[in-house]
Amino acid sequence: LEKTKRSPILFSVVVNNLDKINVIGSKIQSETAKQWSGLHDNVGREWGKVTSSIAKMFSRERHRGAEKLDEVLRTFQAVLNGNEVDTAQLLKACRAHLLLMKSG
């Protein structure tokens, strides 16, 4: 099999534009990181709104004797810790939800 020859002109074009390619790559990386960070912040903020709304709807004052439901709400509120998901709290929340569903 014959090896293909590399074009010296193409190689020189790539070498001469390497700085431009690196700048474009770093800009893409930076913008992507900003977008993901913003998306993550939005999810956390919206999760907080949802859980607080549910907690207000089913507060202890309105539904006395709904301790299991209150426990489910409290544990799900603690799942998002800043921008991180606390898996231990997620497991606790799932267990509390399971107990609530079993109780009828």
Side-chain angles (χ1 to χ4, degrees):
L1 294 173
E2 183 182 322
K3 291 185 178 180
T4 15
K5 294 181 181 178
R6 293 187 179 150
S7 167
I9 295 172
L10 179 62
F11 181 73
S12 67
V13 168
V14 170
V15 169
N16 290 336
N17 291 309
L18 201 54
D19 289 337
K20 291 178 186 175
I21 293 169
N22 286 336
V23 168
I24 291 170
S26 65
K27 284 183 181 179
I28 290 171
Q29 182 180 12
S30 173
E31 288 301 315
T32 302
K34 286 179 190 175
Q35 293 297 321
W36 277 110
S37 176
L39 178 66
H40 204 243
D41 292 342
N42 288 341
V43 168
R45 183 175 44 254
E46 293 303 315
W47 179 259
K49 287 179 186 177
V50 167
T51 56
S52 66
S53 296
I54 292 172
K56 288 176 186 174
M57 287 173 25
F58 296 103
S59 67
R60 282 191 174 153
E61 292 78 39
R62 291 184 187 172
H63 298 284
R64 296 188 189 272
E67 292 84 17
K68 290 181 182 177
L69 179 59
D70 290 339
E71 180 64 22
V72 170
L73 293 172
R74 272 194 304 280
T75 55
F76 270 109
Q77 282 178 321
V79 168
L80 276 181
N81 185 9
N83 287 338
E84 306 259 334
V85 173
D86 186 346
T87 52
Q89 279 301 123
L90 181 59
L91 289 172
K92 287 180 186 178
C94 290
R95 284 187 202 114
H97 183 263
L98 182 61
L99 288 172
L100 175 67
M101 298 312 292
K102 283 183 177 180
S103 70

